[in-house]
Amino acid sequence: MKKLISLVRNVHSRQCQPKLNWSAQVRFLQQDTVSKPKPKKYKYPSFYDPYGPRPQPSSKIVELAERIAALSPEERKQIGPALNEHLRLPKQQMISIQGMLSVGAKQEAGAGKVEEKKEKTSFDVKLEKFDTAAKIKVIKEVRAFTSLGLKEAKELVEKVPVVIKQGLTKEEANGIIEKIKAVGGVAVME
């Protein structure tokens, strides 16, 4: 019976005592000791060509280049337009530089130079007003010659008067104005 009592005391004392395993539960926050591998260093050629090696030009091309180099500067200036006409390439259009013109005018005013007026080559189409009964038709026309969605075109038309297309030639601008007039709107060229 003494053995039974001592056994019960041992079991009871072990269950009532808190387990202290601090050594197993303690963790130190340390950086990984594993070193990161160094990045690979690639050897690039002294001249990098992303398109790869190009074949040597043919003898015709070399001969043509020599003949062009032998021409006078005036004749060389005529090669580009002649090739465009011969190959029937589209005409190059002027780039709109409206914001840059005011900056240039300020600089030239300080220098005292007076610039002659040049003929205007790019035009803007401005929607002045429209008939309220034809509002949907006007919105459809605006969508037809702009890359706007239905909501954006509706918001643009509701902001009348508003510029709806910029940087057009005179013929293109007149065509758009005629289309808008046909559906019940009033547009002008600026």
Side-chain angles (χ1 to χ4, degrees):
M1 181 115 161
K2 282 185 178 182
K3 286 185 178 183
L4 182 63
I5 293 175
S6 67
L7 179 64
V8 170
R9 281 184 188 163
N10 283 338
V11 170
H12 179 68
S13 68
R14 287 182 188 165
Q15 289 178 354
C16 293
Q17 290 178 355
K19 293 183 180 180
L20 299 175
N21 291 333
W22 291 101
S23 62
Q25 294 180 1
V26 175
R27 288 188 177 184
F28 294 101
L29 298 174
Q30 297 177 356
Q31 292 182 348
D32 293 337
T33 57
V34 178
S35 63
K36 294 180 183 177
K38 292 183 180 180
K40 292 182 179 179
K41 293 184 179 178
Y42 295 101
K43 293 183 179 179
Y44 292 109
S46 59
F47 176 75
Y48 177 69
D49 186 6
Y51 302 108
R54 294 185 181 158
Q56 291 291 327
S58 66
S59 60
K60 281 184 177 180
I61 301 298
V62 172
E63 182 182 326
L64 185 61
E66 289 172 356
R67 289 179 61 193
I68 290 173
L71 294 174
S72 67
E74 294 83 27
E75 291 173 329
R76 276 188 241 147
K77 288 179 184 177
Q78 296 173 3
I79 291 175
L83 276 175
N84 287 340
E85 185 179 319
H86 185 71
L87 298 174
R88 295 184 181 136
L89 297 176
K91 289 185 178 181
Q92 296 178 353
Q93 296 183 0
M94 298 295 289
I95 298 173
S96 175
I97 53 170
Q98 291 176 337
M100 299 299 286
L101 290 177
S102 62
V103 173
K106 290 177 185 175
Q107 291 175 351
E108 288 180 12
K113 293 183 179 180
V114 178
E115 185 179 320
E116 296 179 12
K117 281 195 169 183
K118 295 183 179 178
E119 188 176 325
K120 191 171 182 181
T121 56
S122 69
F123 298 91
D124 302 339
V125 176
K126 183 176 184 180
L127 181 63
E128 290 286 323
K129 58 185 177 179
F130 59 90
D131 186 19
T132 53
K135 180 178 180 180
I136 295 173
K137 292 178 183 177
V138 172
I139 292 171
K140 285 182 180 178
E141 272 307 311
V142 168
R143 284 189 68 201
F145 55 82
T146 61
S147 60
L148 298 175
L150 182 62
K151 185 177 179 182
E152 292 86 3
K154 180 183 174 205
E155 290 173 356
L156 185 70
V157 168
E158 289 173 347
K159 292 180 187 176
V160 170
V162 65
V163 175
I164 52 177
K165 192 80 172 178
Q166 296 178 339
L168 300 170
T169 63
K170 192 170 186 174
E171 294 80 22
E172 291 172 336
N174 285 331
I176 290 173
I177 290 170
E178 291 301 320
K179 288 179 183 178
I180 291 176
K181 282 182 184 176
V183 295
V186 177
V188 294
M189 189 177 357
E190 291 186 333

